[in-house]
Amino acid sequence: MKALKDEGVSNWQPRVAHAFSQWQCCMRQSLHLNQLLCSPLPEPQCARLYCGPLLHRLADEDIIKQLQKTLNGQKKEIYKNLKTILNLKPFLNHSKSTGEGSSSEEECQQLQKTEEEENLDQDLIINLGNLHIMESNLVIGDSALRNVQLKTPGTMIKCIPGAIAPDIEADLRLAKHRFQKIVIHVGSNDIQLQQFEDTKNSIASVCNFARTMSHAVAFSGPLPNETMLSLNRWLLEWCPENSVVFIDNWQTFSENPGLIEEDGIHPTLDGTALISRHLDEFLS
């Protein structure tokens, strides 16, 4: 990659330069929006995020083919999916009607497909059907998930610090597609802010809604804490009765002291690693 950058650009392509200029405008506006919202996302180093000479060199089809051979695993799958999305443009052009001024001959040419194009469209449809695999699982919850790292591919982790069960349900309602599996980890903030019965109702509500989005829903149980004991006991009974898998963190954390921070709520890094293993066991 460094050699490509240092080599410079000998063949500038106007359409490529125009596309990159559009992308830079989007990036600039995104940075301004992030600053306006008090920087909820870490700001990237623009010099590393965008390098004109390198990207123009990568626009060379021969170089793309060379680099494609170096990809493997999940990176190769992501590249194939992104390439599929780019192929949508010629695919959609077939469905556009011609203008009133087009001749019948032009209309016939536009509607006519060669055998090769039909095969391409069929492959495109199949690949589009597999795009959801990139985010086929969802893990969502409060700040106990802040350092969770999963080995299961195609899993989105959404950590909402300070979240209570109604916050998680509101976020799920904004989701645009179904998931193969959903894991919810919430409750510690609910117990502090609500009566126990209200907490149970809120958790039951978010789990029941999650079941409308996935056939496999799990609840990641609370960490050992005096205030959470009653909730853990209730979840042990409620989850199996309502077709929700219960991930029992209580027992394993109780057997391994030092996995919870001094605040009694958040896991240490070793505790987070244990939660990650529990989640991977369910997701895989």
Side-chain angles (χ1 to χ4, degrees), residues 29-65:
Q29 297 301 329
S30 299
L31 293 175
H32 287 171
L33 178 59
N34 191 49
Q35 293 168 2
L36 179 65
L37 299 175
C38 299
S39 300
L41 300 174
E43 199 157 291
Q45 297 181 22
C46 295
R48 297 189 64 183
L49 184 63
Y50 179 86
C51 175
L54 174 62
L55 291 175
H56 277 275
R57 288 284 291 148
L58 290 175
D60 189 311
E61 189 172 348
D62 292 333
I63 293 178
I64 286 291
K65 291 180 180 178

Side-chain angles (χ1 to χ4, degrees), residues 84-98 110-111 113 117 120-122 124-125 128:
T84 298
I85 293 173
L86 291 176
N87 286 335
L88 267 174
K89 185 174 181 180
F91 174 73
L92 293 176
N93 282 342
H94 283 295
S95 64
K96 290 183 178 179
S97 61
T98 57
Q110 186 173 9
L111 294 175
K113 289 185 177 180
E117 287 174 329
L120 174 62
D121 290 347
Q122 186 62 33
L124 179 59
I125 293 171
L128 285 175

Side-chain angles (χ1 to χ4, degrees), residues 191-209:
I191 289 293
Q192 297 178 28
L193 299 175
Q194 302 178 127
Q195 296 294 327
F196 183 53
E197 289 299 319
D198 293 333
T199 297
K200 290 195 298 184
N201 292 334
S202 297
I203 289 177
S205 178
V206 68
C207 288
N208 288 330
F209 181 78

Side-chain angles (χ1 to χ4, degrees), residues 73-90:
Q74 188 178 12
K75 293 181 179 179
K76 186 174 183 179
E77 188 66 25
I78 291 175
Y79 173 78
K80 287 172 59 179
N81 289 334
L82 291 174
K83 191 174 181 181
T84 298
I85 293 173
L86 291 176
N87 286 335
L88 267 174
K89 185 174 181 180

Side-chain angles (χ1 to χ4, degrees), residues 107-251:
E107 291 179 0
C108 291
Q109 290 176 351
Q110 186 173 9
L111 294 175
Q112 183 179 8
K113 289 185 177 180
T114 64
E115 182 178 353
E116 181 180 354
E117 287 174 329
E118 289 176 352
N119 292 335
L120 174 62
D121 290 347
Q122 186 62 33
D123 291 341
L124 179 59
I125 293 171
I126 294 173
N127 288 333
L128 285 175
N130 293 329
L131 283 178
H132 71 281
I133 293 175
M134 293 179 63
E135 293 179 357
S136 58
N137 304 315
L138 173 66
V139 176
I140 185 170
D142 55 29
S143 54
L145 301 177
R146 61 188 175 189
N147 294 314
V148 164
Q149 296 182 357
L150 301 177
K151 296 180 181 179
T152 307
T155 301
M156 178 196 303
I157 303 174
K158 195 157 191 179
C159 173
I160 308 175
I164 58 178
D167 297 329
I168 303 299
E169 182 173 344
D171 197 277
L172 289 177
R173 290 182 180 277
L174 296 176
K176 301 298 183 183
H177 62 279
R178 293 175 56 84
F179 294 92
Q180 289 185 2
K181 295 182 178 180
I182 296 177
V183 182
I184 299 169
H185 185 105
V186 74
S188 58
N189 297 307
D190 298 76
I191 289 293
Q192 297 178 28
L193 299 175
Q194 302 178 127
Q195 296 294 327
F196 183 53
E197 289 299 319
D198 293 333
T199 297
K200 290 195 298 184
N201 292 334
S202 297
I203 289 177
S205 178
V206 68
C207 288
N208 288 330
F209 181 78
R211 288 176 56 202
T212 67
M213 302 174 61
S214 174
H215 294 300
V217 175
F219 193 92
S220 177
L223 307 184
N225 184 302
E226 291 183 3
T227 61
M228 305 296 288
L229 180 59
S230 298
L231 179 62
N232 191 71
R233 289 175 176 170
W234 174 76
L235 287 166
L236 279 168
E237 296 182 3
W238 184 88
C239 287
E241 293 174 355
N242 292 271
S243 302
V244 175
V245 176
F246 182 66
I247 301 175
D248 191 355
N249 295 311
W250 194 282
Q251 183 176 356

